[in-house]
Amino acid sequence: MNKKWSELNKIMQTQIKKKDTYKMGIETLIELRDDLMQSLMLFNNELNREDFDAIPFINADGYHSKTIAYSIWHIFRIEDIVAHTLISEDEQVFFTGNYKERINSPIITTGNELVKQQIADFSKQLDLKELYSYIFEVKESTENIVKKLSYDKLKQKISEERKEYLKSLNVVSTDENAIWLIDYWCNKDIRGLIQMPFSRHWIMHIEASLRIKNKIHS
């Protein structure tokens, strides 16, 4: 794992556990995310369209078995769902911004149900300019949400009603590769959600994307 990202993630996790440092923890989280976003910006500046759709590790196990375009979609669909539907209890950026049509996506889900060639085919359909508009909007909206969270709110669990509402949106596929996400998120408190989809999840998929980039440019 990238040393700087790993260190920031570790500091953030410690800080958000205590009442007197949790606000600093949110600042550290945003610093980490800004740093990670630099890598996503470099992809946009340095890679061509074919690079975003390439799947050089198609038969591997692990996050690097995807494409860069898919990885970006996946990070931010998960974040949008968790930040808005589960924490803020408002409407996802994806829907308010009409991003399904704008990105030209055949799905509204996280993409966990897609495998191998399906991932490559999916990636080729996406409008990358609009995908980047989406990720900037999601990042900003999530950070606005977490900045307003009180320390006590971090201990709050997701209600059964919210869980059922999430299911009704059909933004998580019922495929066995995806459906587990609902229980996974809803069994965490809000602190736990900050520690995974909003930070560690980014690190894992961006590091995998860097591995894909290095492979196709080696």
Side-chain angles (χ1 to χ4, degrees):
M1 191 185 275
N2 175 298
K3 218 170 176 181
K4 184 182 178 186
W5 297 343
S6 178
E7 195 53 36
L8 282 171
N9 191 44
K10 212 183 292 176
I11 292 165
M12 178 273 292
Q13 301 225 19
T14 304
Q15 288 172 328
I16 65 168
K17 283 179 184 159
K18 294 180 184 164
K19 192 164 190 171
D20 56 347
T21 56
Y22 94 95
K23 283 285 184 196
M24 286 160 61
I26 299 299
E27 286 170 20
T28 306
L29 171 71
I30 291 168
E31 183 188 343
L32 169 62
R33 288 159 59 89
D34 286 346
D35 212 75
L36 286 158
M37 188 57 108
Q38 290 303 313
S39 291
L40 297 182
M41 292 306 299
L42 281 174
F43 293 153
N44 200 28
N45 295 334
E46 294 176 356
L47 302 182
N48 62 37
R49 179 68 224 221
E50 289 70 33
D51 295 339
F52 276 94
D53 302 335
I55 190 161
F57 300 105
I58 192 165
N59 292 314
D61 285 327
Y63 295 104
H64 59 296
S65 65
K66 323 294 182 190
T67 68
I68 294 172
Y70 168 93
S71 300
I72 295 170
W73 165 275
H74 175 74
I75 291 167
F76 288 92
R77 277 307 287 126
I78 282 183
E79 176 157 318
D80 193 9
I81 292 164
V82 170
H84 288 279
T85 301
L86 295 181
I87 297 177
S88 191
E89 300 192 359
D90 57 7
E91 202 170 355
Q92 292 168 32
V93 170
F94 188 74
F95 297 120
T96 58
N98 194 33
Y99 275 108
K100 184 179 191 295
E101 286 71 24
R102 286 167 62 182
I103 297 172
N104 191 38
S105 172
I107 62 172
I108 65 169
T109 62
T110 63
N112 285 66
E113 67 278 13
L114 303 178
V115 293
K116 299 189 178 184
Q117 193 57 42
Q118 292 173 331
I119 290 172
D121 294 341
F122 165 74
S123 302
K124 288 171 190 160
Q125 295 179 63
L126 304 181
D127 182 315
L128 289 182
K129 186 167 174 289
E130 291 293 354
L131 179 60
Y132 268 85
S133 294
Y134 175 60
I135 75 171
F136 295 141
E137 212 178 317
V138 171
K139 178 180 184 289
E140 186 181 0
S141 70
T142 296
E143 288 165 8
N144 287 336
I145 290 166
V146 297
K147 281 178 195 169
K148 291 176 193 157
L149 291 174
S150 67
Y151 178 73
D152 290 335
K153 179 87 171 170
L154 297 186
K155 301 175 200 166
Q156 188 178 303
K157 280 281 193 57
I158 307 303
S159 71
E160 201 55 43
E161 292 75 25
R162 263 294 113 178
K163 184 176 178 180
E164 290 307 313
Y165 178 67
L166 170 59
K167 288 178 186 173
S168 76
L169 293 176
N170 299 316
V171 290
V172 177
S173 167
T174 54
D175 184 280
E176 64 177 357
N177 288 327
I179 194 66
W180 61 271
L181 277 170
I182 293 175
D183 282 337
Y184 177 76
W185 296 330
C186 293
N187 287 336
K188 290 183 180 293
D189 58 13
I190 289 172
R191 183 190 288 112
L193 294 173
I194 289 171
Q195 289 171 320
M196 184 55 185
F198 299 171
S199 50
R200 194 161 146 258
H201 192 240
W202 279 46
I203 294 171
M204 294 187 303
H205 279 286
I206 291 171
E207 288 197 329
S209 295
L210 288 165
R211 189 169 168 187
I212 294 167
K213 177 194 169 191
N214 292 339
K215 177 70 174 174
I216 55 187
H217 285 278
S218 60

